[in-house]
Amino acid sequence: MKTFFKSALIMLFTLPALALATISVQQPQIVATNGQQPTAIYMTLTNSSNETVSLSIVQSETNARLEMHGMQGSKMVPVSQIAIPAHGKTTLQYGGAHIMVFDLTAPLRVGQTFPLTLLFDDGEVLNVQAEVINR
């Protein structure tokens, strides 16, 4: 329920943000699965604005549960946001920040795509299709 209210608040500010889109996504990819085991999403986020912007919520129209994760030492830990510096890039990658996908209802095969919605703390919302790849 908390995520719903957070999403609604971000959506409220979406219209002005569309005119000032500052985040772009390059190479969104999700690792193929043989079954319903967890997998991960990787991409590069580029921020063209003068302010740091953070990825705050990740959602999918599928029934899968998505969580943003970072690394603390050599341990993967959930995080509430992923920052993209002003005029900079943040790469979500194996061994670093990434998006985990849990509770898939079907395997993901190479050649498919996986729909995502990325919500940022500046109100920007991006709909992305992650390409299913082999690791």
Side-chain angles (χ1 to χ4, degrees):
M1 195 62 138
K2 183 179 176 184
T3 300
F4 172 77
F5 289 114
K6 200 172 179 182
S7 296
L9 182 61
I10 289 175
M11 296 295 276
L12 178 65
F13 296 103
T14 300
L15 291 177
L18 290 176
L20 303 170
T22 59
I23 303 296
S24 62
V25 178
Q26 295 82 40
Q27 295 182 317
Q29 301 175 327
I30 184 169
V31 178
T33 64
N34 289 325
Q36 298 170 346
Q37 74 267 25
T39 189
I41 298 171
Y42 308 116
M43 67 187 76
T44 299
L45 301 168
T46 303
N47 178 2
S48 63
S49 77
N50 294 325
E51 303 287 330
T52 296
V53 176
S54 292
L55 176 60
S56 297
I57 300 172
V58 291
Q59 299 174 329
S60 178
E61 63 190 44
T62 70
N63 289 331
R65 180 171 50 92
L66 281 67
E67 292 181 8
M68 293 180 286
H69 282 199
M71 299 300 286
Q72 201 168 56
S74 61
K75 185 177 178 181
M76 182 175 67
V77 295
V79 296
S80 61
Q81 295 186 336
I82 297 173
I84 306 104
H87 299 287
K89 294 180 181 186
T90 296
T91 300
L92 307 186
Q93 61 188 356
Y94 181 79
H98 59 279
I99 300 166
M100 286 298 300
V101 181
F102 300 97
D103 305 327
L104 289 165
T105 57
L108 294 174
R109 305 280 185 228
V110 173
Q112 295 177 315
T113 59
F114 184 84
L116 300 187
T117 301
L118 308 175
L119 297 101
F120 299 87
D121 66 354
D122 68 348
E124 192 166 345
V125 177
L126 295 176
N127 292 306
V128 175
Q129 293 290 322
E131 176 187 359
V132 180
I133 61 163
N134 281 321
R135 183 180 315 186

Coordinates of all heavy atoms in Angstrom, one line a residue, residues 18-92:
L18 N 7.5 15.4 -18.0 CA 7.6 14.9 -19.3 C 8.2 15.9 -20.3 O 8.9 15.6 -21.2 CB 6.2 14.4 -19.8 CG 5.7 13.2 -19.2 CD1 4.3 12.9 -19.7 CD2 6.6 12.0 -19.4
A19 N 7.9 17.2 -20.0 CA 8.4 18.2 -20.8 C 9.9 18.5 -20.6 O 10.6 19.0 -21.4 CB 7.6 19.5 -20.6
L20 N 10.3 18.0 -19.4 CA 11.7 18.3 -19.0 C 12.5 17.0 -18.8 O 13.2 16.8 -17.9 CB 11.8 19.1 -17.7 CG 11.1 20.5 -17.8 CD1 10.9 21.1 -16.4 CD2 11.8 21.4 -18.8
A21 N 12.2 15.9 -19.6 CA 12.8 14.6 -19.4 C 14.3 14.8 -19.3 O 15.0 15.4 -20.1 CB 12.4 13.7 -20.6
T22 N 14.9 14.2 -18.2 CA 16.3 14.3 -17.9 C 17.0 13.0 -17.9 O 18.2 13.0 -17.9 CB 16.5 15.1 -16.6 OG1 15.9 14.3 -15.6 CG2 15.9 16.5 -16.6
I23 N 16.3 11.9 -17.8 CA 16.9 10.6 -17.6 C 16.7 9.8 -18.9 O 15.6 9.8 -19.5 CB 16.2 9.8 -16.5 CG1 16.3 10.6 -15.1 CG2 16.9 8.4 -16.3 CD1 17.8 10.8 -14.7
S24 N 17.8 9.2 -19.4 CA 17.7 8.2 -20.5 C 18.2 6.9 -20.0 O 19.0 6.8 -19.1 CB 18.4 8.8 -21.7 OG 19.8 8.9 -21.4
V25 N 17.7 5.9 -20.7 CA 18.1 4.5 -20.4 C 18.8 3.8 -21.6 O 18.3 3.9 -22.7 CB 16.8 3.7 -20.0 CG1 17.2 2.2 -19.7 CG2 16.1 4.3 -18.8
Q26 N 19.9 3.2 -21.3 CA 20.6 2.5 -22.4 C 20.7 1.0 -22.0 O 21.0 0.7 -20.8 CB 22.0 3.1 -22.6 CG 22.1 4.5 -23.1 CD 21.9 5.5 -22.0 OE1 22.5 5.4 -20.9 NE2 21.1 6.6 -22.3
Q27 N 20.6 0.2 -22.9 CA 20.7 -1.3 -22.8 C 20.1 -1.9 -21.6 O 20.7 -2.6 -20.8 CB 22.2 -1.6 -22.8 CG 22.9 -1.3 -24.1 CD 24.4 -1.7 -24.1 OE1 25.1 -1.5 -23.2 NE2 24.8 -2.2 -25.2
P28 N 18.7 -1.7 -21.5 CA 18.1 -2.4 -20.4 C 18.0 -3.9 -20.7 O 17.6 -4.3 -21.8 CB 16.7 -1.8 -20.4 CG 16.5 -1.3 -21.7 CD 17.8 -0.9 -22.3
Q29 N 18.6 -4.7 -19.8 CA 18.7 -6.2 -20.0 C 18.3 -6.9 -18.8 O 18.5 -6.5 -17.7 CB 20.1 -6.6 -20.4 CG 20.6 -5.8 -21.7 CD 22.0 -6.1 -22.0 OE1 22.8 -6.3 -21.1 NE2 22.4 -6.2 -23.3
I30 N 17.6 -8.1 -19.0 CA 17.3 -9.0 -17.9 C 17.9 -10.4 -18.2 O 17.8 -10.8 -19.4 CB 15.8 -9.0 -17.6 CG1 15.4 -9.9 -16.4 CG2 15.0 -9.4 -18.9 CD1 14.0 -9.8 -16.0
V31 N 18.4 -11.1 -17.2 CA 19.0 -12.4 -17.5 C 17.9 -13.4 -17.6 O 17.0 -13.5 -16.8 CB 20.0 -12.7 -16.3 CG1 20.6 -14.1 -16.5 CG2 21.1 -11.6 -16.2
A32 N 18.1 -14.3 -18.6 CA 17.1 -15.4 -18.9 C 17.0 -16.3 -17.7 O 18.0 -16.5 -17.0 CB 17.5 -16.1 -20.2
T33 N 15.9 -17.0 -17.6 CA 15.7 -18.0 -16.5 C 15.2 -19.3 -17.1 O 14.6 -19.3 -18.2 CB 14.7 -17.5 -15.5 OG1 13.4 -17.4 -16.1 CG2 15.1 -16.2 -14.8
N34 N 15.5 -20.4 -16.5 CA 15.0 -21.7 -16.9 C 13.7 -22.0 -16.3 O 13.0 -22.8 -16.8 CB 16.0 -22.8 -16.6 CG 17.3 -22.7 -17.5 OD1 17.2 -22.4 -18.6 ND2 18.4 -23.1 -16.9
G35 N 13.5 -21.4 -15.2 CA 12.2 -21.7 -14.4 C 11.7 -20.4 -13.8 O 11.7 -19.3 -14.5
Q36 N 11.4 -20.4 -12.6 CA 10.8 -19.3 -11.9 C 11.8 -18.7 -10.9 O 11.4 -18.0 -10.0 CB 9.5 -19.7 -11.3 CG 8.5 -20.1 -12.4 CD 7.2 -20.7 -11.8 OE1 7.1 -21.0 -10.6 NE2 6.2 -20.8 -12.6
Q37 N 13.0 -19.0 -11.0 CA 14.0 -18.5 -10.1 C 14.2 -17.0 -10.2 O 13.9 -16.5 -11.3 CB 15.4 -19.3 -10.2 CG 16.2 -18.9 -11.4 CD 16.0 -19.8 -12.6 OE1 14.9 -20.4 -12.7 NE2 16.9 -19.9 -13.5
P38 N 14.7 -16.4 -9.2 CA 15.0 -14.9 -9.3 C 16.0 -14.6 -10.4 O 16.8 -15.5 -10.8 CB 15.6 -14.6 -7.9 CG 15.2 -15.7 -7.0 CD 15.1 -16.9 -7.9
T39 N 16.0 -13.4 -10.9 CA 16.9 -13.0 -11.9 C 17.2 -11.5 -11.7 O 16.7 -10.9 -10.7 CB 16.4 -13.2 -13.4 OG1 17.4 -12.9 -14.3 CG2 15.1 -12.4 -13.6
A40 N 18.0 -10.9 -12.5 CA 18.4 -9.5 -12.3 C 18.3 -8.7 -13.6 O 18.4 -9.2 -14.7 CB 19.8 -9.4 -11.8
I41 N 18.1 -7.4 -13.4 CA 18.0 -6.4 -14.5 C 19.1 -5.5 -14.4 O 19.5 -5.0 -13.3 CB 16.6 -5.6 -14.5 CG1 15.5 -6.6 -14.6 CG2 16.6 -4.5 -15.5 CD1 14.1 -5.9 -14.3
Y42 N 19.8 -5.2 -15.6 CA 20.9 -4.3 -15.7 C 20.6 -3.2 -16.7 O 19.9 -3.5 -17.7 CB 22.2 -5.1 -16.0 CG 22.4 -6.3 -15.2 CD1 22.4 -7.5 -15.7 CD2 22.7 -6.1 -13.8 CE1 22.6 -8.6 -14.9 CE2 22.9 -7.2 -13.0 CZ 22.9 -8.5 -13.5 OH 23.1 -9.5 -12.7
M43 N 21.2 -2.1 -16.6 CA 21.1 -1.0 -17.6 C 22.0 0.2 -17.2 O 22.6 0.2 -16.1 CB 19.6 -0.5 -17.6 CG 19.2 0.2 -16.3 SD 17.4 0.6 -16.3 CE 16.7 -0.9 -16.0
T44 N 22.1 1.2 -18.0 CA 22.8 2.4 -17.7 C 21.8 3.5 -17.7 O 21.0 3.6 -18.7 CB 23.9 2.7 -18.7 OG1 24.9 1.6 -18.7 CG2 24.6 4.0 -18.4
L45 N 21.8 4.3 -16.7 CA 20.9 5.5 -16.5 C 21.7 6.7 -16.7 O 22.7 6.9 -16.0 CB 20.2 5.5 -15.2 CG 19.4 4.2 -14.9 CD1 18.9 4.1 -13.4 CD2 18.1 4.2 -15.8
T46 N 21.3 7.6 -17.6 CA 22.1 8.9 -17.8 C 21.2 10.1 -17.4 O 20.0 10.1 -17.8 CB 22.5 9.0 -19.3 OG1 23.3 7.9 -19.7 CG2 23.3 10.3 -19.6
N47 N 21.8 11.0 -16.7 CA 21.1 12.1 -16.2 C 21.6 13.4 -16.8 O 22.8 13.7 -16.6 CB 21.2 12.2 -14.7 CG 20.6 13.4 -14.0 OD1 20.0 14.2 -14.7 ND2 20.8 13.5 -12.7
S48 N 20.8 14.1 -17.6 CA 21.3 15.3 -18.3 C 20.9 16.6 -17.5 O 21.2 17.7 -18.0 CB 20.6 15.4 -19.7 OG 19.2 15.5 -19.6
S49 N 20.4 16.5 -16.3 CA 20.0 17.6 -15.6 C 21.1 18.2 -14.7 O 22.2 17.5 -14.6 CB 18.8 17.3 -14.7 OG 19.2 16.6 -13.5
N50 N 20.9 19.3 -14.1 CA 21.9 19.9 -13.2 C 21.8 19.4 -11.7 O 22.5 19.9 -10.9 CB 21.7 21.4 -13.2 CG 22.1 22.0 -14.5 OD1 23.0 21.6 -15.2 ND2 21.3 23.1 -14.9
E51 N 20.9 18.5 -11.5 CA 20.6 18.0 -10.1 C 20.7 16.5 -10.2 O 20.4 15.8 -11.1 CB 19.2 18.3 -9.7 CG 18.9 19.8 -9.7 CD 19.6 20.6 -8.5 OE1 19.8 19.9 -7.5 OE2 19.9 21.7 -8.7
T52 N 21.2 15.9 -9.0 CA 21.1 14.4 -8.9 C 19.7 14.0 -8.9 O 18.8 14.6 -8.3 CB 21.8 14.0 -7.6 OG1 23.2 14.4 -7.6 CG2 21.7 12.5 -7.3
V53 N 19.4 12.9 -9.6 CA 18.1 12.3 -9.6 C 18.2 10.9 -9.2 O 19.2 10.2 -9.5 CB 17.5 12.4 -11.1 CG1 16.1 11.7 -11.1 CG2 17.4 13.8 -11.5
S54 N 17.2 10.4 -8.4 CA 17.3 9.0 -7.9 C 16.1 8.2 -8.5 O 15.0 8.7 -8.5 CB 17.2 9.0 -6.4 OG 18.4 9.6 -5.8
L55 N 16.5 7.0 -8.8 CA 15.5 6.0 -9.2 C 14.8 5.6 -7.9 O 15.5 5.1 -6.9 CB 16.1 4.8 -9.9 CG 15.2 3.6 -10.2 CD1 14.1 4.0 -11.1 CD2 16.1 2.5 -10.8
S56 N 13.5 5.8 -7.7 CA 12.9 5.5 -6.4 C 12.0 4.3 -6.4 O 11.8 3.7 -5.4 CB 12.0 6.8 -6.1 OG 12.8 7.9 -5.9
I57 N 11.3 4.0 -7.5 CA 10.4 2.8 -7.6 C 10.6 2.1 -8.9 O 10.8 2.8 -10.0 CB 9.0 3.3 -7.5 CG1 8.7 4.0 -6.1 CG2 8.0 2.1 -7.6 CD1 7.4 4.7 -6.0
V58 N 10.6 0.8 -8.9 CA 10.6 0.0 -10.1 C 9.4 -0.9 -10.0 O 9.1 -1.5 -9.0 CB 11.9 -0.8 -10.3 CG1 13.0 0.1 -10.6 CG2 12.2 -1.7 -9.1
Q59 N 8.6 -1.0 -11.2 CA 7.4 -1.8 -11.2 C 7.4 -2.5 -12.6 O 8.1 -2.1 -13.5 CB 6.2 -0.9 -11.1 CG 6.1 -0.1 -9.8 CD 4.9 0.9 -9.8 OE1 4.5 1.4 -10.9 NE2 4.4 1.1 -8.7
S60 N 6.5 -3.5 -12.6 CA 6.3 -4.2 -13.9 C 4.8 -4.6 -14.0 O 4.2 -4.8 -13.0 CB 7.1 -5.5 -13.9 OG 6.9 -6.2 -15.2
E61 N 4.3 -4.6 -15.2 CA 2.9 -5.0 -15.4 C 2.8 -6.5 -15.2 O 1.6 -7.0 -15.1 CB 2.4 -4.5 -16.8 CG 3.2 -5.2 -17.9 CD 2.9 -4.6 -19.3 OE1 2.8 -3.4 -19.4 OE2 2.7 -5.4 -20.2
T62 N 3.9 -7.2 -15.1 CA 3.8 -8.6 -14.8 C 3.5 -8.7 -13.3 O 3.6 -7.7 -12.5 CB 5.1 -9.3 -15.1 OG1 6.1 -8.9 -14.2 CG2 5.5 -9.1 -16.5
N63 N 3.3 -9.9 -12.8 CA 3.1 -10.1 -11.4 C 4.4 -10.3 -10.6 O 4.4 -10.5 -9.4 CB 2.2 -11.4 -11.1 CG 0.8 -11.1 -11.6 OD1 0.3 -10.0 -11.5 ND2 0.1 -12.2 -12.0
A64 N 5.5 -10.1 -11.2 CA 6.8 -10.3 -10.6 C 7.0 -9.2 -9.5 O 6.5 -8.1 -9.7 CB 7.9 -10.2 -11.6
R65 N 7.8 -9.5 -8.5 CA 8.2 -8.5 -7.5 C 9.5 -8.0 -7.8 O 10.5 -8.8 -8.0 CB 8.1 -9.2 -6.1 CG 8.5 -8.3 -5.0 CD 8.2 -9.0 -3.6 NE 8.8 -10.3 -3.5 CZ 10.1 -10.6 -3.0 NH1 10.8 -9.6 -2.6 NH2 10.5 -11.8 -3.0
L66 N 9.7 -6.7 -7.8 CA 11.0 -6.1 -8.2 C 11.5 -5.3 -7.0 O 10.8 -4.7 -6.3 CB 10.8 -5.1 -9.3 CG 10.7 -5.7 -10.7 CD1 9.5 -6.5 -10.9 CD2 10.8 -4.6 -11.8
E67 N 12.9 -5.4 -6.8 CA 13.6 -4.8 -5.7 C 14.9 -4.2 -6.2 O 15.6 -4.8 -6.9 CB 13.9 -5.7 -4.5 CG 12.8 -6.3 -3.8 CD 13.2 -7.2 -2.6 OE1 14.4 -7.3 -2.4 OE2 12.3 -7.8 -2.0
M68 N 15.2 -2.9 -5.8 CA 16.5 -2.4 -6.1 C 17.5 -2.9 -5.1 O 17.1 -2.9 -3.9 CB 16.4 -0.8 -6.0 CG 15.5 -0.3 -7.1 SD 15.4 1.5 -7.1 CE 14.4 1.8 -5.7
H69 N 18.6 -3.3 -5.5 CA 19.7 -3.8 -4.7 C 21.0 -3.1 -4.9 O 21.2 -2.7 -6.0 CB 19.9 -5.3 -4.9 CG 18.8 -6.1 -4.2 ND1 19.0 -7.5 -4.0 CD2 17.6 -5.8 -3.8 CE1 17.9 -8.0 -3.4 NE2 17.0 -7.0 -3.3
G70 N 21.8 -3.0 -3.9 CA 23.1 -2.5 -4.0 C 24.1 -3.5 -3.3 O 23.6 -4.6 -2.9
M71 N 25.3 -3.2 -3.3 CA 26.3 -4.1 -2.6 C 26.9 -3.4 -1.4 O 27.2 -2.2 -1.4 CB 27.4 -4.5 -3.6 CG 26.9 -5.2 -4.8 SD 26.1 -6.8 -4.5 CE 27.5 -7.8 -4.1
Q72 N 27.0 -4.1 -0.3 CA 27.6 -3.7 0.9 C 28.7 -4.7 1.2 O 28.4 -5.8 1.6 CB 26.6 -3.6 2.0 CG 27.0 -2.7 3.2 CD 25.8 -2.5 4.1 OE1 25.2 -3.5 4.6 NE2 25.4 -1.3 4.3
G73 N 29.9 -4.3 0.9 CA 31.0 -5.3 0.9 C 30.8 -6.2 -0.2 O 30.6 -5.9 -1.3
S74 N 30.7 -7.5 0.1 CA 30.4 -8.5 -0.9 C 29.0 -9.1 -0.8 O 28.6 -10.1 -1.4 CB 31.4 -9.7 -0.8 OG 31.3 -10.3 0.5
K75 N 28.1 -8.4 0.0 CA 26.8 -8.8 0.2 C 25.8 -7.9 -0.5 O 25.9 -6.7 -0.4 CB 26.5 -8.8 1.7 CG 25.2 -9.3 2.1 CD 24.9 -9.4 3.6 CE 23.6 -9.9 3.9 NZ 23.3 -9.9 5.3
M76 N 24.8 -8.6 -1.1 CA 23.7 -7.9 -1.8 C 22.7 -7.4 -0.8 O 22.3 -8.2 0.1 CB 23.1 -8.8 -2.8 CG 22.0 -8.2 -3.6 SD 21.4 -9.3 -4.9 CE 20.6 -10.6 -3.9
V77 N 22.3 -6.1 -0.8 CA 21.3 -5.6 0.1 C 20.3 -4.7 -0.6 O 20.6 -4.1 -1.6 CB 22.0 -4.7 1.2 CG1 22.9 -5.6 2.1 CG2 22.8 -3.6 0.6
P78 N 19.0 -4.8 -0.1 CA 18.0 -3.9 -0.7 C 18.3 -2.5 -0.4 O 18.9 -2.1 0.6 CB 16.7 -4.3 0.0 CG 17.0 -5.7 0.6 CD 18.5 -5.7 0.9
V79 N 18.0 -1.6 -1.4 CA 18.2 -0.1 -1.2 C 16.9 0.5 -1.6 O 16.1 0.0 -2.4 CB 19.4 0.4 -2.1 CG1 20.7 -0.2 -1.6 CG2 19.2 0.2 -3.5
S80 N 16.6 1.7 -1.0 CA 15.4 2.4 -1.3 C 15.5 3.3 -2.6 O 14.5 3.7 -3.1 CB 15.0 3.3 -0.1 OG 15.9 4.2 0.2
Q81 N 16.7 3.7 -3.0 CA 16.9 4.5 -4.1 C 18.3 4.2 -4.8 O 19.2 3.7 -4.1 CB 16.9 6.0 -3.7 CG 15.6 6.5 -3.2 CD 15.7 8.0 -3.0 OE1 16.7 8.6 -2.8 NE2 14.5 8.7 -3.0
I82 N 18.4 4.6 -6.1 CA 19.6 4.5 -6.8 C 19.9 5.9 -7.4 O 19.1 6.3 -8.2 CB 19.7 3.4 -7.8 CG1 19.5 2.0 -7.2 CG2 20.9 3.4 -8.6 CD1 19.3 0.9 -8.1
A83 N 20.9 6.6 -7.0 CA 21.2 7.9 -7.4 C 21.9 8.0 -8.8 O 22.8 7.1 -9.1 CB 22.0 8.7 -6.4
I84 N 21.5 8.9 -9.6 CA 22.2 9.2 -10.9 C 22.7 10.6 -10.8 O 21.9 11.6 -10.7 CB 21.2 9.0 -12.1 CG1 20.5 7.7 -12.1 CG2 22.0 9.2 -13.4 CD1 19.1 7.7 -11.6
P85 N 24.0 10.8 -10.8 CA 24.5 12.2 -10.5 C 24.2 13.2 -11.7 O 24.0 12.7 -12.8 CB 26.0 12.0 -10.4 CG 26.3 10.7 -11.1 CD 25.0 9.9 -11.0
A86 N 24.2 14.4 -11.3 CA 23.9 15.5 -12.3 C 24.9 15.3 -13.5 O 26.1 15.1 -13.2 CB 24.1 16.9 -11.7
H87 N 24.5 15.4 -14.7 CA 25.3 15.3 -15.9 C 26.2 14.0 -15.8 O 27.4 14.0 -16.3 CB 26.2 16.5 -16.1 CG 25.4 17.7 -16.3 ND1 24.7 18.0 -17.5 CD2 25.1 18.8 -15.5 CE1 24.0 19.1 -17.4 NE2 24.2 19.6 -16.2
G88 N 25.7 12.9 -15.3 CA 26.4 11.7 -15.1 C 25.6 10.5 -15.4 O 24.5 10.5 -15.9
K89 N 26.3 9.3 -15.2 CA 25.7 8.0 -15.4 C 25.8 7.1 -14.2 O 26.7 7.3 -13.5 CB 26.4 7.3 -16.6 CG 26.3 8.0 -17.9 CD 27.0 7.3 -19.0 CE 26.9 8.0 -20.3 NZ 27.5 7.3 -21.4
T90 N 24.8 6.2 -14.1 CA 24.9 5.2 -13.1 C 24.6 3.9 -13.9 O 23.6 3.8 -14.6 CB 23.9 5.4 -12.0 OG1 24.2 6.5 -11.3 CG2 23.9 4.2 -11.0
T91 N 25.5 2.9 -13.7 CA 25.4 1.7 -14.4 C 24.9 0.6 -13.4 O 25.5 0.4 -12.4 CB 26.7 1.2 -15.1 OG1 27.1 2.2 -16.0 CG2 26.5 -0.1 -15.8
L92 N 23.8 0.0 -13.7 CA 23.3 -1.1 -12.9 C 23.9 -2.4 -13.6 O 23.7 -2.6 -14.8 CB 21.7 -1.2 -13.0 CG 21.0 0.1 -12.6 CD1 19.5 -0.2 -12.6 CD2 21.5 0.7 -11.3

